[in-house]
Amino acid sequence: SPPEFVSAGRLADGRLVCETAPESDGAVARDIFSTDGQRWQELEISRGGRREYHVVLRGYRTFPGTAHAVPAEMEVQAENYQLHLRLVELDVKDGIAPEAAR
């Protein structure tokens, strides 16, 4: 995990939780991983105890040129908007970084 994250325990269903220390404005990022800690499943950003941003990641897929599965669906809720992204194609050049997603 990134050095700024610290373990915040586990949820009742066994999923691993990591958090950042509060920023100067009170914002805290909370990442939720699968029970084995291998798959990133959710991200929450809260400020003053109020959730401002929440993303749920699912539908992990392996695309040609990638060594690891990546989330193919991202559902975002942030105050006044909601966004649902679905990754259907990923073009990787030289096996390093995504070049284009559609």
Side-chain angles (χ1 to χ4, degrees):
S1 64
E4 65 271 13
F5 281 107
V6 295
S7 177
R10 293 190 177 266
L11 298 176
D13 62 6
R15 292 185 295 161
L16 177 65
V17 180
C18 292
E19 291 183 349
T20 61
E23 303 268 333
S24 60
D25 64 354
V28 174
R30 181 179 192 209
D31 287 82
I32 300 170
F33 297 90
S34 58
T35 56
D36 62 4
Q38 297 299 308
R39 237 176 225 183
W40 184 34
Q41 295 180 331
E42 295 183 46
L43 166 65
E44 294 179 341
I45 298 176
S46 60
R47 189 172 282 110
R50 193 178 110 239
R51 185 166 74 180
E52 294 184 351
Y53 179 89
H54 183 227
V55 63
V56 176
L57 305 156
R58 60 178 159 270
Y60 278 78
R61 293 177 47 194
T62 302
F63 294 92
T66 60
H68 301 285
V70 296
E73 288 189 57
M74 296 158 229
E75 197 168 309
V76 179
Q77 294 180 348
E79 294 194 348
N80 296 326
Y81 72 89
Q82 292 184 352
L83 177 66
H84 189 146
L85 302 170
R86 190 170 289 149
L87 184 63
V88 295
E89 183 178 321
L90 181 65
D91 184 9
V92 178
K93 301 291 183 193
D94 300 325
I96 296 174
E99 190 68 24
R102 179 178 66 161

